[in-house]
Amino acid sequence: FREGNLLCCNSYYACLSAVGEHIGHVDCLVVDSPVLGGTVGWLFMVYVVPAHRGRGWGKALVRQALRTFVGSCRTVYLTVLDDNPRAKQMYISVGFDVVNRISLPGVDGTVNVMAIEVPEEA
């Protein structure tokens, strides 16, 4: 399901401007995927520094990332480990749904493939 040609990649970083402290980041990929039926988006490396978790930064990063896909694809995917229920719940609260559960080589546990339809306007 991760097969395809990379068309575009953008990264976003969240920092506290007063002190320049790194809070988190997310990578946004647009991929031409024959397996998924055309051009789709993927969120990778969604990360919030532990000291800043639970404050809405993850949701803010994901929402900002989703804006980058408007006009380039209709569906955005991400994966999250089954043993990370807090992250999974955050993605659900943003609007993602679990569309598949898989095992990947070299990964302990089940991986949830989640997807969201991108609105036509941000």
Side-chain angles (χ1 to χ4, degrees):
F1 73 94
R2 287 187 174 173
E3 188 176 311
N5 296 312
L6 179 64
L7 301 176
C8 178
C9 180
N10 292 301
S11 296
Y12 292 95
Y13 297 86
C15 298
L16 290 175
S17 60
V19 293
E21 181 181 359
H22 182 159
I23 294 172
H25 65 267
V26 59
D27 293 329
C28 309
L29 284 66
V30 177
V31 178
D32 180 16
S33 172
V35 174
L36 295 173
T39 303
V40 299
W42 279 95
L43 294 185
F44 279 102
M45 302 300 294
V46 180
Y47 179 77
V48 174
V49 174
H52 293 286
R53 291 180 186 164
R55 300 181 186 177
W57 289 108
K59 282 183 188 180
L61 278 167
V62 169
R63 287 182 177 137
Q64 176 62 38
L66 289 173
R67 288 183 186 100
T68 69
F69 296 107
V70 172
S72 63
C73 59
R74 291 289 300 140
T75 306
V76 174
Y77 295 90
L78 60 81
T79 56
V80 63
L81 291 172
D82 213 31
D83 68 356
N84 192 351
R86 191 171 175 186
K88 183 178 171 184
Q89 185 56 47
M90 185 271 293
Y91 296 130
I92 289 169
S93 75
V94 172
F96 282 86
D97 293 306
V98 176
V99 295
N100 202 353
R101 297 183 54 167
I102 60 173
S103 296
L104 292 175
V107 177
D108 292 333
T110 302
V111 176
N112 295 281
V113 179
M114 302 184 80
I116 190 171
E117 294 299 309
V118 177
E120 292 185 26
E121 296 181 11

